[in-house]
């Protein structure tokens, strides 16, 4: 899974796509504002930095900034994009599953944005959380986002594809047929009974294998090693506190904000 995803994230057209992204997502804006008073004292690590979308917003505000990505092409793109700031912003090729290049207790804020953590399998995801815990200082803030399995469960149902516009209905049904073809082993029963699943979704033309998890299961996964786990809608940026709301949210992915214990 990981090699295929890493190859996809190294393809020139995909690197170009991430290189031109500019805006923060609403949940990222909310957290930036919340941390703003402390950012100037913080050593920050931006994992899966991609083309540097988050760099321009966070890096000028923090004490020190390092961006890593397992795609060398993404890191080259960041170096090009921030050529002027290279003395203050650091970029290097690095894999979140093994961040041996960083000593224990190195960072105050660790970001793994826009679902970057979803491109490894379950065992490697747990390794990433362990690595984050090792290199972050006590009370280090951690912010990342991850795909929502609850929404994908509905995405596999043809009833959700029907609309008043026949052209939209046709396009939706073709995409559903492709989704099912790319994920032959995934049945409605499996979707309903799984806490997490690896799914080839339509992003980047079905080239990526992506980890999807239920919100409550992600919270439980985090609560083993992290404190004060909060969940944010990526779309509105609003915190979703109530378990019932978490189970019903229609966000395709959620932001998780927590602190290292
Ligand atoms: C969806 S892109 C997001 C890029 C950027 N953070 C943004 O928000 O625009 C996910 C990024 O995570 C990187 N990535 C995925 N798994 C990784 C891993 N194990 N170690 C480091 N980077 C990884 C990919 O190469 C890709 O650049």
């Amino acid at each position: 899974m990981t090699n295929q995803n890493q190859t996809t994230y190294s393809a020139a057209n995909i690197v170009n796509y991430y290189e031109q992204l500019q805006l923060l997502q609403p949940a990222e804006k909310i957290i930036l504002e919340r941390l703003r008073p402390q950012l100037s004292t913080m050593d920050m690590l931006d994992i899966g930095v991609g083309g540097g979308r988050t760099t321009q917003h966070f890096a000028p505000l923090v004490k020190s900034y390092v961006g890593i990505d397992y795609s060398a092409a993404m890191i080259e793109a960041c170096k090009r994009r921030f050529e002027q700031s290279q003395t203050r912003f650091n970029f290097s090729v690095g894999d979140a599953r093994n961040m041996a290049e960083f000593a224990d207790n190195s960072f105050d804020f660790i970001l793994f944005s826009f679902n970057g953590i979803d491109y490894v399998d379950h065992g490697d995801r747990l390794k990433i959380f362990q690595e984050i815990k090792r290199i972050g200082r006590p009370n280090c803030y951690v912010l990342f986002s991850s795909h929502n399995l609850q929404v994908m469960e509905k995405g596999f149902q043809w009833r959700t594809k029907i609309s008043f516009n026949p052209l939209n209905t046709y396009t939706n049904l073709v995409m559903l047929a492709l989704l099912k073809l790319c994920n032959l082993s995934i049945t409605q029963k499996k979707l309903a009974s799984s806490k997490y699943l690896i799914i080839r979704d339509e992003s980047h033309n079905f080239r990526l294998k992506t980890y999807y998890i239920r919100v409550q299961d992600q919270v439980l996964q985090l609560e083993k090693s992290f404190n004060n786990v909060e969940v944010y809608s990526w779309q509105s940026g609003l915190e979703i506190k109530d378990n019932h709301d978490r189970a019903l949210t229609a966000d395709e992915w959620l932001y998780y904000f927590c602190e290292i214990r």
Side-chain angles (χ1 to χ4, degrees), residues 167-222:
L167 190 61
N168 285 352
T169 302
Y170 173 77
T171 312
N172 291 344
L173 289 174
V174 169
M175 293 310 279
L176 176 62
L178 286 173
L179 181 68
K180 292 202 171 197
L181 202 61
C182 290
N183 297 280
L184 288 174
S185 67
I186 296 184
T187 59
Q188 207 63 50
K189 197 173 159 194
K190 194 168 177 178
L191 279 160
S193 61
S194 300
K195 293 180 175 171
Y196 63 84
L197 274 178
I198 305 288
I199 297 173
R200 270 178 67 188
D201 63 17
E202 65 183 74
S203 63
H204 301 309
N205 298 323
F206 295 95
R207 285 168 74 181
L208 293 165
K209 289 189 177 174
T210 304
Y211 184 103
Y212 280 73
I213 186 165
R214 289 179 196 283
V215 182
Q216 277 306 89
D217 289 298
Q218 181 59 80
V219 170
L220 289 176
Q221 207 179 73
L222 288 169

Side-chain angles (χ1 to χ4, degrees), residues 43-44 64 101-108 134-137:
D43 294 311
M44 174 175 176
S64 73
E101 66 273 36
F102 301 120
D104 296 3
N105 301 313
S106 296
F107 298 102
D108 306 291
R134 181 185 66 75
I135 62 176
R137 298 183 177 125

Side-chain angles (χ1 to χ4, degrees), residues 38-257:
Q38 305 165 63
L39 284 174
S40 63
T41 64
M42 287 182 168
D43 294 311
M44 174 175 176
L45 174 65
D46 197 342
I47 308 175
V49 60
R53 179 181 65 86
T54 46
T55 307
Q56 58 187 327
H57 301 279
F58 284 97
L61 305 178
V62 292
K63 185 171 137 209
S64 73
Y65 176 90
V66 187
I68 66 164
D69 202 291
Y70 70 178
S71 159
M74 292 286 191
I75 291 300
E76 283 311 308
C78 285
K79 288 184 175 169
R80 276 196 304 275
R81 184 168 176 178
F82 298 100
E83 210 178 348
Q84 307 294 326
S85 316
Q86 286 269 349
T87 49
R88 292 192 305 117
F89 310 164
N90 289 296
F91 298 102
S92 58
V93 177
D95 190 322
R97 290 166 295 174
N98 178 358
M99 296 187 274
E101 66 273 36
F102 301 120
D104 296 3
N105 301 313
S106 296
F107 298 102
D108 306 291
F109 177 35
I110 299 176
L111 175 65
F112 201 162
S113 213
F114 207 174
N115 314 319
I117 200 169
D118 290 342
Y119 300 101
V120 295
D121 63 25
H122 184 67
D124 282 344
R125 182 181 188 91
L126 299 184
K127 263 192 219 161
I128 291 176
F129 287 132
Q130 282 311 310
E131 276 294 80
I132 287 178
K133 207 168 144 51
R134 181 185 66 75
I135 62 176
R137 298 183 177 125
N139 303 116
C140 165
Y141 293 109
V142 177
L143 176 66
F144 71 96
S145 64
S146 185
H147 283 90
N148 183 359
L149 183 57
Q150 295 146 205
V151 170
M152 190 45 110
E153 193 182 338
K154 293 207 177 73
F156 268 71
Q157 295 168 355
W158 67 266
R159 280 185 205 85
T160 63
K161 307 298 172 191
I162 309 296
S163 81
F164 289 114
N165 180 329
L167 190 61
N168 285 352
T169 302
Y170 173 77
T171 312
N172 291 344
L173 289 174
V174 169
M175 293 310 279
L176 176 62
L178 286 173
L179 181 68
K180 292 202 171 197
L181 202 61
C182 290
N183 297 280
L184 288 174
S185 67
I186 296 184
T187 59
Q188 207 63 50
K189 197 173 159 194
K190 194 168 177 178
L191 279 160
S193 61
S194 300
K195 293 180 175 171
Y196 63 84
L197 274 178
I198 305 288
I199 297 173
R200 270 178 67 188
D201 63 17
E202 65 183 74
S203 63
H204 301 309
N205 298 323
F206 295 95
R207 285 168 74 181
L208 293 165
K209 289 189 177 174
T210 304
Y211 184 103
Y212 280 73
I213 186 165
R214 289 179 196 283
V215 182
Q216 277 306 89
D217 289 298
Q218 181 59 80
V219 170
L220 289 176
Q221 207 179 73
L222 288 169
E223 280 177 346
K224 290 181 184 146
S225 314
F226 300 89
N227 285 335
N228 305 329
V229 178
E230 296 174 359
V231 181
Y232 289 83
S233 155
W234 87 266
Q235 277 181 313
S236 67
L238 295 176
E239 188 180 355
I240 310 174
K241 288 189 179 172
D242 188 79
N243 279 348
H244 181 72
D245 295 339
R246 287 177 178 178
L248 291 181
T249 176
D251 279 69
E252 285 169 58
W253 60 90
L254 284 306
Y255 274 82
Y256 298 88
F257 184 58

Side-chain angles (χ1 to χ4, degrees), residues 26-37:
E28 295 167 333
K29 269 193 208 164
I30 296 278
I31 301 298
L32 185 149
E33 288 313 320
R34 185 161 150 194
L35 296 183
R36 190 184 282 277

Side-chain angles (χ1 to χ4, degrees), residues 14-22 51-52 77-78 80-81:
I14 299 212
V15 175
N16 289 345
Y17 169 75
Y18 285 99
E19 200 176 350
Q20 51 80 38
L21 295 183
Q22 301 278 350
C78 285
R80 276 196 304 275
R81 184 168 176 178

